[in-house]
Amino acid sequence: SQQGEEDPQALSIQEGENATMNCSYKTSINNLQWYRQNSGRGLVHLILIRSNEREKHSGRLRVTLDTSKKSSSLLITASRAADTASYFCATFMDTGRRALTFGSGTRLQVQP
Amino acid sequence: KAGVTQTPRYLIKTRGQQVTLSCSPISGHRSVSWYQQTPGQGLQFLFEYFSETQRNKGNFPGRFSGRQFSNSRSEMNVSTLELGDSALYLCASSLDPNSNQPQHFGDGTRLSIL
């Protein structure tokens, strides 16, 4: 079963706009990671945020983590058509099974 | 560095057959994990190998098995294939997932069961 849910399930925006995706999870975590998947391809790691971090930036990406609410958000600024993909959050728990547990994903469409 | 390589990319099998998928991790990575991706269940963890030992296992039946060789290459095997096994099977490698390290994924093997 999946650790949590992402919303929205699908998002369509215009090039240049910002895209925000949210992720919720259920148990305590060691870190939370965001991945991108282009159609028919594998997952590409975007950013990892540790449980003791609140915000992290990488280029046009900004990730926040609120462990009290068990939620995270991914912001993509100044989106481009090439950002069109599915985005997944994945949590890594610090107890029990040490494996990534993925959310259901957000399908982002950036219109040129 | 070469990325994670999975072979074959596509595979078509019939019910009852068995299949073996292969994964070559990034050089130096000793941990290999396998995931199944389907439209209905999403991404689900199958198992993880580290230094030739299965260290973690997901909630899949015993028909799903794997192994890791001394060069860290890994194979997964599915026996007595069922229609529901149709999926994209993804392999990921990392230095050690028990630390704050990202996983690096291959492009997967798309398995279709007829």
Side-chain angles (χ1 to χ4, degrees), chain A residues 2 30-31 37 92 98, chain B residues 37 41 97-98 100 103 107:
Chain A
Q2 292 167 356
N30 180 276
N31 65 63
Q37 184 178 37
F92 188 79
R98 291 192 168 91
Chain B
Q37 185 176 28
Q41 298 298 315
N98 282 350
N100 288 305
Q103 293 195 11
D107 280 338

Side-chain angles (χ1 to χ4, degrees), chain B residues 49-70:
Chain B
Y49 286 86
F50 184 84
S51 293
E52 301 179 65
T53 301
Q54 186 182 87
R55 204 162 54 165
N56 294 288
K57 191 177 188 306
N59 298 323
F60 279 81
R63 300 185 297 108
F64 292 81
S65 63
R67 59 177 175 169
Q68 187 180 34
F69 302 94
S70 58

Side-chain angles (χ1 to χ4, degrees), chain A residues 1-2 30-31 33 35 37 40-45 48-50 88 92 96-103, chain B residues 9 35 37 41-45 48 56-59 88 90 97-103 105-107 110:
Chain A
S1 62
Q2 292 167 356
N30 180 276
N31 65 63
Q33 305 177 32
Y35 288 82
Q37 184 178 37
R41 304 296 300 273
L43 281 77
V44 174
H45 180 263
L48 181 153
I49 186 165
R50 301 179 187 189
F88 295 89
F92 188 79
R97 184 199 310 157
R98 291 192 168 91
L100 286 176
T101 304
F102 285 86
Chain B
R9 284 296 312 278
Y35 296 84
Q37 185 176 28
Q41 298 298 315
L43 280 151
Q44 293 189 288
F45 171 73
E48 183 244 346
N56 294 288
K57 191 177 188 306
N59 298 323
L88 180 65
L90 293 164
N98 282 350
S99 61
N100 288 305
Q101 297 287 334
Q103 293 195 11
F105 284 79
D107 280 338
R110 184 162 296 281

Side-chain angles (χ1 to χ4, degrees), chain B residues 39 52 79 88 91 111:
Chain B
E52 301 179 65
S79 62
L88 180 65
C91 165
L111 175 63

Side-chain angles (χ1 to χ4, degrees), chain B residues 77-91:
Chain B
N77 184 275
V78 188
S79 62
T80 319
L81 287 165
E82 301 176 359
L83 291 177
D85 297 334
S86 293
L88 180 65
Y89 289 88
L90 293 164
C91 165

